[in-house]
Amino acid sequence: MSEIGNVLANISISCFAFSYLLTLLLEVSRLFFQVPVRWVLIQVITAAGLIAHAIYIGLDISSSLQADATPLASWHAWCVLAALAVALFYFVLAIRRPKNNIGVFLIPVVLVLVLAAALVKDSATFTTDGAISLWEFIHIGSLLAGTVAVAIGCAVGVMYLVQSSRLKKKLPPRTGLKLPSLEWLERNNRRCLFVSTILLAQGLFAGVVMNIIRQVPFEQGVTISSGVLFLWLVAVTLFEYLYKPARQGRKVAYLTLAHFVFLAVVLGYVIFAQHGSGVAS
Amino acid sequence: MTFQVLGCHHHDSTVEFREQLTFTAEQAHTILSQLQQTHPDMETVLLSTCNRVEIYMAAEEQDLCPPQDAMIQLLADFHNLQPADIADQFQLREDKDAVRHLFATAASLDSMVVGEAQILSQVKDAYELATQGGFTGSVTHTAFQAAMRVAKRVATETTINQRRVSIPSIAVADFANRFFENFADKNVLVIGAGEMGEETLRYLIDQQATQIHIVNRDLARAQNLVERTQGEARPWEELDQLLVDADLVVSTTSADDPIVTVERFQAIAHQRHQRTLLVLDLAVPRDFEAAVGEFVGVYLYCIDDLDEVCQRNKDARSQQWPHANEIIDEESGLFMAELAHRSTGPWIQRLQDQAQQLKSDELERLLNKLGENANETVREELDIAFDRLINKLLHPPLESLRNGAHDADHRGLVDALKKLFRLKE
């Protein structure tokens, strides 16, 4: 293996976690003092983290293929992928809105997902019959995309509540946090809520179909937690439909936060119960 | 070379006075044409804004420009006024003062709202208009192009134009922009037809606001405001319904008591479904009861909240003022040196030509006298010696002239040179 190959092979979670941590520290420092080249530095460090992150996933896929295993078929890979998606979202948004301190809210979400990935690093891979079936793909993919949407929605929801509170308190502009407008936050909050509701519902539905097709008995804990999540999604949809104030302002932010809490509880359970890897009860 | 500006400004004249002297683009062209006919060797630019009326003039010699009295007469005649009524309000600035004034004006240091960006485009427009009419020349080209460069330098090297200092501009740019991404699809409600409301409305229109309703107790005043700006005048009785539909309210009435009380807003709040409502209450006394700001989704700002930011921005700008002034001083000094250099160049050339002529005559006379006694080597040596003599004689006065380009008495030096060496035009 070449020297570059050796270096790349040594890329670990801590490499990109460190980059994101550095990004967070620099983003936080923006609240207190101004340094001319800092924004560029933040983008360079984040880009380096994203590259390391992508290489890490690439190496994971490569080693899975070499071992004739299904790539990215573990909760560890699932969390790493979700973290990459949120980090990419932050990177694009930071370039589009350089004056806003979005990283203060989004990078912690990335770090939580990376931490979760580190905690389940040695988890067993998902049990598959070889190639991933269409329903498995929809189940895993939808839940992954839905989780990313909820995670982003949570960060945007917190931003909305902070911005709303600052505006209510009449804090002068140009001091402390610089956040996007309330309109932008509300619109994207609602978008995240809508997209995540559809994706999570689709993921749950695909999971049910998959189990029926494979005639696998439903895991009791997962069934209960998924059922609770499904009921919550139905409740959110009805609430939005019937109660007009829930479609705007702080109510949307509260809903996305509640969404996040529900999903975190359900995911916490299914990840640590090793759902899908054949070791859960 | 001379560079002058005759003008009246917001510093020392009232808006009513300036209004009488304002020039449209067409009128500016007419008066500059008149000046060109009477003073063909003079370059002119006319800058007419709501805060100033200024005529910039440049020529090779001062006497190629009309005297101040003649200019006042011309301006007064043009606007059917009495010269005596306007003479006191006009001020003439010359050379470095005039250049400094132009640079400070373009950089918005002389504006009513220091740092506002509009003045630079007004200076550009005035210069382009004069150029298209053929009223400008090398000095005005250099001066106005330098002014634009200096304005950019001030904008880049200081933060003087980054902070707004007028209540309406702060209301829109610093407050409303924290609520809305764009104003094109927002329902804007203006309550009252006062000056502050009008100015705020103009900023909102600049930000593409189109759905504007103006409501006033006197509908005719609302309609007048609509004619001056844009939107739709609505009767006072529709205020409640307009409040239900509004996203942004600008209130500037002169009512003694609050117009929108808690009870009144409570009655319509349920129809708004907690939709975000930004209220900019710019009236004194207030039009909205403070407790209206406690409703969910309502963000109420009064003039004190905006004034606080206004004051803070003014303080921040004043900290930048010395640096901006240093730039203006430095650039106007450099410009004057360049101008002086350009105006002395022909005289230096004339002096050198005269000296060369003298040398040739004397050398010829001497060589004729020496006849065949002077071989080629002697002739060459004599030529070199004469050149060295001329150079040594002219070096001190020319060096003084070049070094004195930055000094105020530079023109005196040129005059002295002309007299001492009897240099002809």
Side-chain angles (χ1 to χ4, degrees), chain B residues 10 51 108 110-117 164-166 169 199 203 317:
Chain B
H10 60 91
N51 286 329
S108 189
D110 193 54
S111 299
M112 191 178 273
V113 178
V114 174
E116 53 108 356
R164 292 160 192 87
V165 288
S166 76
S169 65
E199 211 183 320
Y203 277 102
R317 277 191 178 189

Side-chain angles (χ1 to χ4, degrees), chain B residues 70-114:
Chain B
M71 283 299 297
I72 297 284
Q73 182 73 51
L74 179 73
L75 288 166
D77 290 348
F78 195 89
H79 288 290
N80 296 319
L81 299 167
Q82 290 301 314
D85 294 339
I86 66 167
D88 291 346
Q89 312 271 354
F90 274 86
Q91 197 183 353
L92 181 71
R93 289 183 172 89
E94 292 180 284
D95 299 328
K96 192 173 178 183
D97 263 358
V99 171
R100 203 189 179 291
H101 176 76
L102 171 62
F103 288 1
T105 301
S108 189
L109 299 186
D110 193 54
S111 299
M112 191 178 273
V113 178
V114 174

Side-chain angles (χ1 to χ4, degrees), chain A residues 148-212:
Chain A
V148 170
V150 170
I152 292 170
C154 170
V156 175
V158 173
M159 274 193 258
Y160 182 94
L161 293 175
V162 171
Q163 178 74 324
S164 167
S165 157
R166 286 164 55 83
L167 293 172
K168 271 279 184 194
K169 286 177 189 161
K170 302 180 180 182
L171 290 183
R174 294 171 187 276
T175 50
L177 272 174
K178 289 177 190 70
L179 294 172
S181 68
L182 272 189
E183 185 187 4
W184 186 92
L185 291 169
E186 184 183 305
R187 192 173 57 224
N188 285 288
N189 217 338
R190 196 149 183 250
R191 209 173 269 170
C192 287
L193 191 63
F194 177 74
V195 169
S196 61
T197 302
I198 288 179
L199 287 170
L200 292 178
Q202 183 177 283
L204 289 177
F205 177 73
V208 172
V209 173
M210 195 175 73
N211 265 21
I212 292 169

Side-chain angles (χ1 to χ4, degrees), chain B residues 8-108:
Chain B
C8 68
H9 319 97
H10 60 91
H11 298 299
D12 34 36
S13 62
T14 61
V15 65
E16 290 79 15
F17 175 78
R18 294 195 303 273
E19 272 171 1
Q20 298 178 74
L21 288 155
T22 308
F23 286 85
T24 61
E26 209 171 299
Q27 287 174 322
H29 188 275
T30 308
I31 198 167
L32 294 184
S33 299
Q34 286 178 18
L35 275 168
Q36 197 175 41
Q37 280 167 13
T38 52
H39 297 81
D41 295 324
M42 182 175 70
E43 305 167 20
T44 48
V45 175
L46 177 75
L47 174 64
S48 175
T49 72
C50 52
N51 286 329
R52 64 190 69 241
V53 176
E54 293 174 342
I55 296 191
Y56 289 87
M57 296 166 281
E60 282 292 327
E61 294 297 331
Q62 199 161 8
D63 52 15
L64 294 173
C65 295
Q68 185 173 353
D69 292 348
M71 283 299 297
I72 297 284
Q73 182 73 51
L74 179 73
L75 288 166
D77 290 348
F78 195 89
H79 288 290
N80 296 319
L81 299 167
Q82 290 301 314
D85 294 339
I86 66 167
D88 291 346
Q89 312 271 354
F90 274 86
Q91 197 183 353
L92 181 71
R93 289 183 172 89
E94 292 180 284
D95 299 328
K96 192 173 178 183
D97 263 358
V99 171
R100 203 189 179 291
H101 176 76
L102 171 62
F103 288 1
T105 301
S108 189

Side-chain angles (χ1 to χ4, degrees), chain B residues 5 83 124 147 154 156 174 182 184 210-211 260 277 318 332 337 354 400:
Chain B
V5 54
K124 271 184 198 167
V154 170
T156 315
D174 288 344
N182 69 76
T210 51
Q211 299 170 32
V260 182
L277 174 66
S318 63
S332 49
Q354 193 170 299
S400 300

